[in-house]
């Protein structure tokens, strides 16, 4: 049953599944509709009982973004507004322009802390200083050419150090993450990125072997004073493999890994974190060690795994950043399956052992797809969800590596 005690009106920037999952959480707990601002209308948030969806063109312009948030807050001046970004570049804009949003709760760390962990090059150096395992890495510019990565063992992956900076460029063949199996292929990747106009730092990183099931994440939450309140480990079963969404988790099981949680907490405490964070890591099958890959400074779509497993994200935000209520730190041990694709598809692409795990959790009622919200009543929305779920079979048939 929804709680009605605290008046809070969420404003969520971006119209992806993560934005919807966050809006659903606030609707379930507080009975409020989140105002979702996105550059285009998207099926993920359109027609939802939990969302007041508004198309605002030009959100990449900070002035327009600030104006849009302030306009929403001005509609209900007696209500507390809490603003969240569903993409790294949107979070970066909110942090940078926080002072221009008086009266709006912006539950994120400061610019210095944000820069230390969201720039992948700085993040890698910080992990090394703290004794946290990371893959062997070289930071370079595309124009430097493959010789600058001498000493690394192939295959390698190539990705922008700053997700925000990379978001600002668009070119044919752009991928979230590139792979190169030898020096010649690395040269081709760097040349394509340079020709596309991206001149920022790139990470060339030795590929940690293993498939989707070696991936994992740690979700953490810190209050407004930087005190950690919650942490949870999640083991990935299946990821997306389309070029633009490579690495996004589509099926994940929450569980326990004390060492990974402790390392992630120590990292974020060191920089003075605030709010939510999602830390990506990958287990190296050669030594069994989880190597840290990056920090996402927000609630992504897999963040709903926290809520689904019994730990309400919306209540965390309201208690910590709106009401200022104290809370005892908690490391979750709950086992729950989070998924955004149909379970038959998950079972098709995972190992026999993980397929049995999926079946067991589903039969026990411990499997949740955030899109399947029973409060939704719009037939067109359900038709769009059904079409999107069916389309996942086509996408995996085309892009999943064999």
């Amino acid at each position: 049953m929804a709680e009605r005690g605290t008046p809070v009106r969420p404003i969520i920037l971006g119209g992806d599944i993560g934005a919807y999952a966050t809006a659903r959480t606030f609707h379930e707990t507080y009975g409020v509709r989140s105002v979702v601002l996105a550059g285009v209308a998207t099926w993920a948030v359109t027609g939802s009982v939990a969302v007041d969806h508004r198309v605002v063109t030009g959100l990449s312009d900070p002035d327009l973004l600030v104006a849009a948030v302030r306009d929403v807050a001005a509609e209900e001046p007696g209500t507390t507004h809490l603003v969240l970004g569903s993409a790294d570049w949107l979070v970066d804009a909110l942090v940078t322009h926080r002072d221009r949003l008086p009266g709006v709760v912006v539950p994120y760390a400061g610019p210095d802390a944000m820069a230390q962990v969201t720039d992948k090059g700085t993040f890698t150096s910080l992990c090394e200083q703290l004794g946290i395992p990371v893959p062997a890495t070289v930071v370079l510019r595309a124009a430097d050419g493959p010789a600058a990565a001498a000493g690394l063992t192939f295959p390698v992956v190539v990705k922008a150090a700053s997700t925000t900076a990379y978001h600002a460029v668009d070119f044919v063949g752009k991928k979230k993450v590139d792979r190169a199996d030898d020096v010649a292929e690395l040269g081709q990747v760097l040349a394509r990125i340079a020709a596309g106009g991206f001149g920022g730092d790139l990470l060339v990183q030795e590929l940690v072997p293993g498939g989707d099931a070696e991936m994992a994440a740690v979700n953490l939450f810190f209050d407004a004073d930087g005190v950690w309140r919650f942490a949870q480990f999640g083991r990935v079963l299946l990821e997306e493999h389309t070029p633009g969404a490579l690495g996004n988790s589509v099926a994940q099981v929450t569980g326990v890994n004390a060492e990974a949680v402790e390392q992630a907490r120590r990292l974020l405490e060191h920089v003075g974190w605030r709010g939510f964070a999602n830390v990506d890591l990958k287990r190296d099958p050669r030594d069994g060690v989880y190597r840290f890959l990056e920090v996402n400074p927000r609630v992504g779509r897999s963040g709903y795994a926290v809520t689904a497993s019994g730990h309400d994200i919306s209540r965390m935000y309201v208690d910590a950043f709106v009401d200022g209520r104290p809370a005892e730190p908690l490391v979750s041990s709950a086992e729950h399956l989070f998924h955004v694709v149909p379970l038959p598809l998950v079972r098709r692409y995972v190992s026999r052992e993980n397929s049995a795990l999926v079946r067991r959790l589903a039969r026990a009622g411990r499997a949740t797809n955030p899109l399947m919200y029973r409060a939704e009543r719009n037939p067109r929305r359900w038709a769009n969800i059904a079409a999107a779920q069916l389309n996942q079979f086509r996408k995996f048939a085309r892009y999943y590596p064999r």
Side-chain angles (χ1 to χ4, degrees):
M1 179 178 292
E3 299 177 4
R4 307 289 176 175
T6 300
V8 60
R9 189 179 184 218
I11 305 172
I12 303 172
L13 306 183
D16 60 5
I17 295 176
Y20 173 76
T22 301
R24 171 181 167 171
T25 302
F26 278 96
H27 188 264
E28 287 178 299
T29 304
Y30 297 105
V32 298
R33 298 182 77 204
S34 298
V35 179
V36 173
L37 307 178
V40 296
T42 64
W43 68 267
V45 295
T46 298
S48 170
V49 69
V51 172
D52 176 358
H53 180 28
R54 307 182 188 183
V55 175
V56 180
T57 57
L59 280 179
S60 56
D61 182 330
D63 291 335
L64 293 178
L65 184 150
V66 168
V69 173
R70 293 180 69 167
D71 285 347
V72 172
E75 294 171 357
E76 297 185 14
T79 300
T80 299
H81 289 82
L82 182 144
V83 63
L84 300 168
S86 66
D88 290 1
W89 66 275
L90 290 166
V91 172
D92 185 66
L94 289 173
V95 170
T96 301
H97 299 282
R98 187 199 311 259
D99 292 344
R100 299 172 64 188
L101 296 171
V104 177
V105 179
V106 184
Y108 294 106
D112 291 342
M114 195 72 63
Q116 287 187 70
V117 297
T118 58
D119 182 288
K120 296 178 181 63
T122 306
F123 164 78
T124 300
S125 298
L126 182 60
C127 286
E128 291 174 340
Q129 294 170 21
L130 296 175
I132 296 172
V134 291
T137 303
V138 170
V139 180
L140 49 73
R141 300 289 177 95
D144 295 338
L152 294 182
T153 301
F154 287 88
V156 296
V157 294
V158 183
K159 51 191 175 183
S162 170
T163 303
T164 299
Y166 205 49
H167 172 80
V169 300
D170 191 23
F171 55 88
V172 176
K174 179 183 176 182
K175 299 179 181 179
K176 182 180 177 182
V177 180
D178 281 282
R179 171 176 168 150
D181 290 325
D182 53 40
V183 173
E185 193 170 1
L186 176 59
Q188 294 169 4
V189 169
L190 297 178
R192 173 163 39 83
I193 294 174
F198 183 70
D201 285 345
L202 297 167
L203 266 71
V204 181
Q205 202 165 61
E206 289 186 4
L207 177 68
V208 178
D212 295 359
E214 302 295 348
M215 300 297 298
V218 179
N219 287 312
L220 303 103
F221 185 80
F222 291 75
D223 67 18
D225 295 320
V227 178
W228 81 274
R229 293 194 175 201
F230 177 82
Q232 183 179 59
F233 177 81
R235 184 169 63 88
V236 173
L237 302 183
L238 189 65
E239 293 185 328
E240 282 204 43
H241 288 271
T242 54
L246 185 66
N248 288 341
S249 173
V250 298
Q252 184 179 129
V253 175
T254 62
V256 177
N257 188 301
E259 183 177 24
V261 165
E262 188 278 331
Q263 289 173 333
R265 179 188 58 77
R266 182 159 53 89
L267 169 69
L268 293 173
E269 282 184 336
H270 180 79
V271 301
W273 198 252
R274 305 289 191 277
F276 201 86
N278 174 271
V279 185
D280 288 338
L281 40 155
K282 187 174 185 180
R283 179 182 176 275
D284 192 329
R286 296 168 296 191
D287 57 13
V289 173
Y290 276 104
R291 306 197 184 281
F292 280 53
L293 303 179
E294 63 183 9
V295 173
N296 302 299
R298 55 186 165 78
V299 181
R301 59 182 177 179
S302 63
Y304 194 82
V306 176
T307 296
S309 62
H311 311 287
D312 191 321
I313 286 175
S314 66
R315 186 177 287 111
M316 291 184 199
Y317 274 121
V318 171
D319 286 353
F321 287 91
V322 178
D323 292 341
R325 294 176 183 168
E328 290 295 322
L330 171 67
V331 178
S332 173
S333 60
E335 185 183 48
H336 197 96
L337 171 62
F338 162 87
H339 63 104
V340 293
V341 299
L343 289 180
L345 186 149
V346 177
R347 295 186 59 211
R348 177 183 298 182
Y349 288 96
V350 301
S351 68
R352 181 176 299 179
E353 179 184 3
N354 283 335
S355 179
L357 173 64
V358 169
R359 174 177 289 179
R360 175 174 66 81
L361 292 176
R363 287 179 173 176
R366 288 187 285 156
T368 302
N369 182 335
L371 295 169
M372 303 302 175
Y373 185 26
R374 292 183 178 181
E376 301 290 4
R377 294 291 182 266
N378 189 320
R380 181 172 294 180
R381 173 170 180 79
W382 282 113
N384 288 337
I385 291 173
Q389 293 288 286
L390 287 173
N391 188 47
Q392 294 289 350
F393 288 92
R394 181 189 62 81
K395 288 169 57 178
F396 271 83
R398 179 178 180 185
Y399 291 108
Y400 191 82
R402 298 293 182 181

